[in-house]
Amino acid sequence: MEPEHRILYLAWLPYHLVDPLDKHYVTSLDGGIASDQEYPAITMHMGNAETTIIALHSIHSLYIHPPTDQQQGSIVITTKQGDVLRPLWYQPTNPFDAWPGYNILDILRAFVDIERAPDDQHLYLVSPQEASSSSQPVAAPSSPMPLSPSLSTMSTVPETDPFFHAVQEARWHIFERFSRITRVSRDAASQVLEHPVTQPLFPLLPSSVQALRRNDAAQQTMNDYNLANYYLTQWAADTTLQPLSDEAVDRLLKDTPEMQKPLPHHTRRAPITPEEWVDFFDRDGVLKLPLATIRQRIFQGGLDPDIRIEAWKFLLGIYPWQSTFDDREAIRRSKAEEYYTIKAKWFNDLEVRNGTRFLEEKHRIDKDVHRTDRNLSIFEGEELPNPDPQMSVGTNANLEIMKDILVTYNYHNTTLGYVQGMSDLCAPMFVGMGDEAMAFWGFVQFMERVQSNFFTDQSGMHRQLKTLQSLLQFMDMPLYKHFESTDTLNLFFCFRWLLVWFKREFDWEDVIRLWEVLWSDHLSHDFILFVALAVLHQHRDKILAMDQFDDILKYINELNGKLQLTPILEIAEVLFYQFDRRVKAMDTKTQELHQRLQRRAVWTNESERNDIQVALKQLQVDPLLRHLLPNASIPPPSPHCQ
């Protein structure tokens, strides 16, 4: 194809969707031009509509928003058709490098003309000469909505502001176009609603969005974890699941063998004692019992505090389960040496430690650490002067070790780096391991498991909350419908639960025991969702009695620190067994209906055939839910219909 006929595209691919075979291409292309490397072919995984691809000739403008102390940097594209696309979150591979968003402008200038808008330092117009010489078609409204005085007096807002164009359209289709306004800035729901253009629209917005703006519980979560902001605004433009008829499904399942079994019971027991733990291994330190048995015992009761320093290294994957005493000692020494080698990259380099980027990142970690678990004796003292001149409080040796671990993690995982909330997960590692190097590797292993919680695009948290929403619908339709009717179906009140594994909801000892249960992976790798469902189940009667968004959010937020772990784990375990039984019953009934469809008598009976096909649709299980089972079963094939 001749160059003048080649169509060029701008593509944005979240790092977690980069094909493993392409990562070296992505790294080499960072900050460069693909043509310099003969346009290498890269596989584009779309994910959950997370990847963005758009032809350059379709772009009208780019809103380049550099990072701040509170926000990641982003780029917002407005098309020539007037659509405002969701932000493209962009951060450097190395957290201490300059923000690379402006590099994109430099690269694009090699292919198209780009000029900064005169009235907005963040807005850049693509091919402005072409845009000025051609008029954009504007569809006339069929029934214009009368303008309120507040909507018709916006002269203080620059017309180049992307919010301005969205609100201009909102004059005619305010409710239809609200999704565009939320897509302009998914940085934070509060920022969208605080923008001067959206203020006149506030009375017209959904009541749940208004409530989030003024609700103290929601604001506290957004202040504590800035990732919550993005989830909120992402949800604002999302769709919900279509409710199923639980009564119809129950009627279909009542005669299945699975539903005839006795009601399940929990298997909770006392924690594993030091004597039991020692007896799990032979004299060389090799595990004697099946690993599944060990995981089950840990799931049922957790661990005695005296054996955590050793057992956690197995649970978190630092020690292989089939290792010997000698193997583990060699691993411990090797890991300690490796940790201090990574730490030396910044700790022993004065030039790095005095760099502006490093000092900014270090200060951010310092602030978070000083807000983490200060009620524990190990972290409560402030007898030492703080090495951070921007901090007005003292410190102690353990707080400084925590900071060192988190800064070192920045150098170990340069892709993710440090994100607000990680200090909540690191503190128990330090207390439980009792050693800086082992605490670091415990934290690294824990983050391998939960790192998607901290992705900038929030794909991990979005997946979990969507799965929880589907699980609630599957297991408790009345409560699901109640959340739907009160505009709380986004389950925002569960965000903190899943982000930092209920760290703020239980007391310290219960949090540690809960984490051990979850690390065991006995029933499900995502058993935390059943714990969340159990909390909602335990309080469902009071929640069902509330018909206001604010009341529900306030009530659930006030459970912080008041939850009792043992009864919740009992409920969660029983809920899992009920879930597992229901899925298996649906598969059994599905297989039975498929077999009935093969009978000639059914195919000659249109009414019966249609009834069976309707039933099969009702028996479909959300694929997200199947992944909650330890060995996700493959559903029976759909019937071949002519």
Side-chain angles (χ1 to χ4, degrees):
M1 182 180 293
E2 295 300 322
E4 60 268 21
H5 299 299
R6 180 179 292 146
I7 299 177
L8 297 177
Y9 291 85
L10 173 66
W12 182 87
L13 182 68
Y15 188 79
H16 72 278
L17 290 179
V18 175
D19 192 288
L21 297 177
D22 293 335
K23 287 191 175 181
H24 66 288
Y25 286 129
V26 174
T27 302
S28 63
L29 284 172
D30 194 16
I33 299 177
S35 59
D36 293 344
Q37 300 192 31
E38 299 181 350
Y39 296 103
I42 294 177
T43 303
M44 301 300 291
H45 295 293
M46 303 308 292
N48 186 21
E50 300 155 82
T51 295
T52 296
I53 303 176
I54 184 172
L56 287 186
H57 65 72
S58 297
I59 299 176
H60 172 262
S61 65
L62 300 166
Y63 197 81
I64 310 293
H65 195 286
T68 65
D69 290 339
Q70 293 78 33
Q71 300 293 334
Q72 291 287 343
S74 64
I75 298 174
V76 178
I77 295 174
T78 300
T79 71
K80 291 182 179 178
Q81 289 71 40
D83 288 318
V84 181
L85 308 184
R86 64 182 180 181
L88 311 180
W89 301 94
Y90 204 50
Q91 58 183 347
T93 303
N94 186 322
F96 303 115
D97 288 345
W99 185 61
Y102 289 113
N103 292 345
I104 293 180
L105 284 178
D106 294 335
I107 293 171
L108 291 179
R109 283 191 173 106
F111 305 100
V112 292
D113 293 328
I114 297 178
E115 289 184 7
R116 177 181 286 177
D119 300 320
D120 192 322
Q121 62 174 333
H122 299 305
L123 188 66
Y124 293 81
L125 304 178
V126 178
S127 301
Q129 294 84 0
E130 174 189 330
S132 61
S133 62
S134 61
S135 59
Q136 296 294 322
V138 179
S142 57
S143 56
M145 184 178 71
L147 293 179
S148 68
S150 57
L151 279 175
S152 60
T153 56
M154 298 194 296
S155 59
T156 58
V157 181
E159 294 191 13
T160 50
D161 191 319
F163 278 83
F164 181 87
H165 299 292
V167 177
Q168 288 293 82
E169 290 184 336
R171 296 181 178 216
W172 311 115
H173 304 291
I174 183 67
F175 294 111
E176 175 188 352
R177 296 299 185 178
F178 174 65
S179 62
R180 287 194 180 185
I181 297 172
T182 58
R183 288 201 301 269
V184 171
S185 175
R186 295 187 184 180
D187 298 1
S190 56
Q191 286 193 5
V192 171
L193 296 173
E194 293 295 341
H195 196 283
V197 172
T198 58
Q199 291 301 301
L201 308 181
F202 187 73
L204 301 175
L205 303 183
S207 59
S208 59
V209 180
Q210 296 184 43
L212 283 170
R213 180 175 181 263
R214 61 174 179 265
N215 187 277
D216 291 340
Q219 288 298 319
Q220 184 60 50
T221 300
M222 288 187 281
N223 291 338
D224 287 347
Y225 306 104
N226 51 30
L227 291 172
N229 295 324
Y230 181 54
Y231 169 71
L232 259 186
T233 46
Q234 187 179 52
W235 157 78
D238 201 3
T239 57
T240 59
L241 300 168
Q242 293 299 315
L244 302 173
S245 172
D246 55 330
E247 294 179 1
V249 173
D250 288 341
R251 286 195 297 270
L252 288 168
L253 300 180
K254 65 181 181 180
D255 62 344
T256 57
E258 292 82 2
M259 302 307 287
Q260 306 305 314
K261 295 178 181 179
L263 293 175
H265 296 279
H266 70 82
T267 61
R268 307 306 306 160
R269 49 157 282 172
I272 295 173
T273 65
E275 293 77 17
E276 287 179 286
W277 179 258
V278 170
D279 198 45
F280 290 162
F281 301 86
D282 64 21
R283 62 182 183 181
D284 294 322
V286 178
L287 194 65
K288 294 188 299 184
L289 300 180
L291 179 55
T293 301
I294 304 300
R295 291 189 180 279
Q296 181 181 24
R297 296 275 186 88
I298 295 172
F299 170 83
Q300 292 172 335
L303 301 162
D304 184 280
D306 289 342
I307 60 177
R308 284 172 177 156
I309 193 170
E310 184 76 3
W312 281 17
K313 296 180 179 70
F314 288 94
L315 278 173
L316 291 166
I318 298 174
Y319 290 165
W321 282 99
Q322 296 304 320
S323 59
T324 65
F325 288 132
D326 291 342
D327 292 337
R328 296 195 283 275
E329 177 60 20
I331 290 171
R332 188 192 64 79
R333 291 176 180 273
S334 173
K335 286 294 186 182
E337 181 179 348
E338 185 178 358
Y339 167 70
Y340 287 108
T341 299
I342 299 171
K343 182 177 178 179
K345 293 179 181 178
W346 65 270
F347 192 83
N348 295 339
D349 192 326
L350 288 178
E351 184 177 353
V352 169
R353 295 177 65 178
N354 291 326
T356 302
R357 291 285 176 182
F358 177 87
L359 292 173
E360 290 175 352
E361 188 72 7
K362 178 66 161 55
H363 179 61
R364 195 159 61 91
I365 291 173
D366 288 359
K367 289 192 298 182
D368 283 356
V369 168
H370 277 267
R371 292 194 295 254
T372 304
D373 295 318
R374 297 303 303 280
N375 58 315
L376 299 180
S377 59
I378 191 173
F379 297 129
E380 67 182 358
E382 294 185 351
E383 65 275 8
L384 299 177
N386 200 313
D388 184 347
Q390 299 183 62
M391 299 290 289
S392 59
V393 296
T395 186
N396 65 56
N398 292 324
L399 291 177
E400 293 307 302
I401 291 174
M402 271 264 289
K403 297 172 188 177
D404 288 356
I405 291 172
L406 292 171
V407 173
T408 304
Y409 182 75
N410 247 336
Y411 280 81
H412 173 74
N413 188 341
T414 56
T415 301
L416 184 61
Y418 177 80
V419 180
Q420 189 180 25
M422 289 183 180
S423 59
D424 275 310
L425 304 183
C426 183
M429 293 297 104
F430 179 57
V431 175
M433 295 292 190
D435 171 80
E436 180 178 349
M438 288 299 102
F440 171 81
W441 289 114
F443 177 67
V444 167
Q445 292 297 108
F446 194 5
M447 287 305 305
E448 281 293 312
R449 180 182 183 120
V450 301
Q451 67 174 338
S452 66
N453 287 7
F454 298 91
F455 286 161
T456 307
D457 62 13
Q458 279 299 277
S459 55
M461 287 301 299
H462 187 69
R463 178 191 60 81
Q464 287 188 86
L465 286 159
K466 290 291 288 186
T467 305
L468 180 58
Q469 186 188 88
S470 183
L471 182 62
L472 179 66
Q473 178 189 12
F474 189 82
M475 296 291 291
D476 193 342
M477 183 64 77
L479 187 56
Y480 174 92
K481 289 181 176 178
H482 184 67
F483 284 142
E484 186 177 43
S485 66
T486 54
D487 290 324
T488 48
L489 198 54
N490 66 331
L491 303 182
F492 179 69
F493 44 78
C494 301
F495 186 91
R496 185 176 65 193
W497 299 358
L498 304 181
L499 179 71
V500 292
W501 280 33
F502 287 93
K503 178 73 182 306
R504 305 285 184 90
E505 277 57 51
F506 295 99
D507 66 30
W508 176 269
E509 185 58 34
D510 278 353
V511 168
I512 301 305
R513 190 153 56 99
L514 171 62
W515 288 9
E516 291 166 350
V517 168
L518 298 176
W519 289 336
S520 74
D521 288 335
H522 170 55
L523 293 180
S524 172
H525 183 76
D526 296 299
F527 191 73
I528 189 172
L529 297 182
F530 291 91
V531 175
L533 185 64
V535 174
L536 298 177
H537 180 85
Q538 188 180 53
H539 296 269
R540 74 186 300 275
D541 290 343
K542 291 184 177 179
I543 293 172
L544 288 171
M546 301 174 185
D547 58 3
Q548 296 296 320
F549 176 96
D550 281 350
D551 293 338
I552 294 174
L553 205 59
K554 181 175 183 293
Y555 175 78
I556 295 180
N557 189 68
E558 289 177 351
L559 297 176
N560 180 10
K562 299 177 183 177
L563 298 176
Q564 299 298 311
L565 181 63
T566 297
I568 288 173
L569 286 178
E570 293 172 355
I571 295 170
E573 185 177 356
V574 171
L575 286 172
F576 176 84
Y577 295 142
Q578 292 176 338
F579 166 76
D580 181 57
R581 182 174 69 170
R582 188 174 174 86
V583 172
K584 290 176 179 176
M586 293 173 77
D587 288 346
T588 297
K589 177 58 69 172
T590 298
Q591 194 65 42
E592 176 190 320
L593 293 176
H594 283 166
Q595 292 172 358
R596 283 178 60 189
L597 277 177
Q598 307 307 313
R599 300 174 189 169
R600 181 179 297 276
V602 172
W603 279 102
T604 59
N605 187 329
E606 183 178 357
S607 176
E608 184 178 1
R609 185 174 72 250
N610 290 339
D611 288 344
I612 292 176
Q613 290 172 336
V614 169
L616 285 170
K617 289 182 179 179
Q618 292 175 326
L619 291 170
Q620 290 178 357
V621 179
D622 187 336
L624 288 172
L625 297 183
R626 290 192 178 275
H627 286 289
L628 299 179
L629 298 172
N631 296 308
S633 58
I634 300 174
S638 301
H640 179 69
C641 302
Q642 298 296 330

